[in-house]
Amino acid sequence: ARHRLTFRVHDVEPFRFVGTGRADFSRDGDVQQWTLDTERAVSSYSVMFVLLPARDTLYQEWLIDGVAVRALAYTSVDLVEARRRLESWLPELRRRFGPFPALHGLSLFLFSNSGGGMEYYGGTITSLSALRHEVLHSYFGCSVVARTYPDSWYDEAVTSWFEETARGQGHTALAASYRGNWVG
């Protein structure tokens, strides 16, 4: 379903928000309000949103190879490094797999420099070290969804295969000239 969610904070302290879709902000006195609109039908389990006090976070917006990126991070996370990493391989993902699948671009919440993460439609809650893996899931698992849960094994399989071959490891079963537009 298309999701339209409203988040309200009753406090004068500023907050920051990122999520799966277009986020519109308004204020009425001490009430801060964000309306999140996925702008298209997406699986409910793949809707991401993060709302945190501004004093605890950093926020930046970038345009990387035509993809609008909104990055929210705890102050301990290196956003310069996050941007550098995205600039180094997001164009390759777009070249290999087609346009970035989310209409709104990419929303990130980076919680640490190392650890894991979780993918969502057009976004991820992740560590810096898992950023590439979780963003790659935007193409497989969040945009190309298996018909049944037991069939969803391919999501991690394709993501792991691409990471290994990009590092020169594993088997390169597909020719270098292969191009796909799975989500187009």
Side-chain angles (χ1 to χ4, degrees):
R2 180 177 178 177
H3 296 74
R4 291 184 190 106
L5 306 170
T6 301
F7 302 86
R8 296 170 56 99
V9 174
H10 296 260
D11 198 333
V12 294
E13 178 183 357
F15 276 66
R16 291 185 172 131
F17 179 88
V18 293
T20 297
R22 190 183 76 243
D24 296 315
F25 175 75
S26 63
R27 179 184 286 280
D28 183 13
D30 290 349
V31 179
Q32 302 166 67
Q33 179 172 294
W34 292 263
T35 303
L36 178 66
D37 184 350
T38 62
E39 301 183 295
R40 64 170 273 200
V42 298
S43 300
S44 297
Y45 68 84
S46 69
V47 176
M48 177 194 97
F49 49 86
V50 178
L51 179 61
L52 292 167
R55 68 176 148 74
D56 298 332
T57 60
L58 304 169
Y59 179 82
Q60 293 184 7
E61 293 181 358
W62 310 306
L63 186 63
I64 299 175
D65 196 41
V67 178
V69 178
R70 287 158 308 287
L72 179 64
Y74 282 129
T75 56
S76 61
V77 177
D78 186 351
L79 277 181
V80 172
E81 178 61 17
R83 181 177 183 167
R84 186 196 66 73
R85 289 181 187 197
L86 287 169
E87 288 174 336
S88 74
W89 49 259
L90 188 55
E92 172 67 9
L93 296 181
R94 288 175 29 101
R95 186 180 67 75
R96 294 286 300 236
F97 303 117
F100 193 77
L103 299 174
H104 69 280
L106 176 60
S107 295
L108 304 173
F109 173 60
L110 293 138
F111 59 83
S112 71
N113 289 313
S114 63
M118 186 63 197
E119 68 274 4
Y120 299 91
Y121 171 72
T124 180
I125 297 174
T126 187
S127 66
L128 187 58
S129 64
L131 179 61
R132 179 184 184 135
H133 179 92
E134 301 307 336
V135 170
L136 184 54
H137 277 298
S138 292
Y139 286 93
F140 307 100
C142 294
S143 295
V144 177
V145 179
R147 179 150 94 181
T148 67
Y149 182 76
D151 295 327
S152 64
W153 62 268
Y154 77 86
D155 175 22
E156 284 297 332
V158 170
T159 301
S160 296
W161 167 82
F162 185 79
E163 286 184 301
E164 289 176 5
T165 58
R167 290 190 303 258
Q169 302 169 339
H171 303 284
T172 55
L174 300 177
S177 61
Y178 171 79
R179 300 291 179 272
N181 188 0
W182 290 41
V183 296

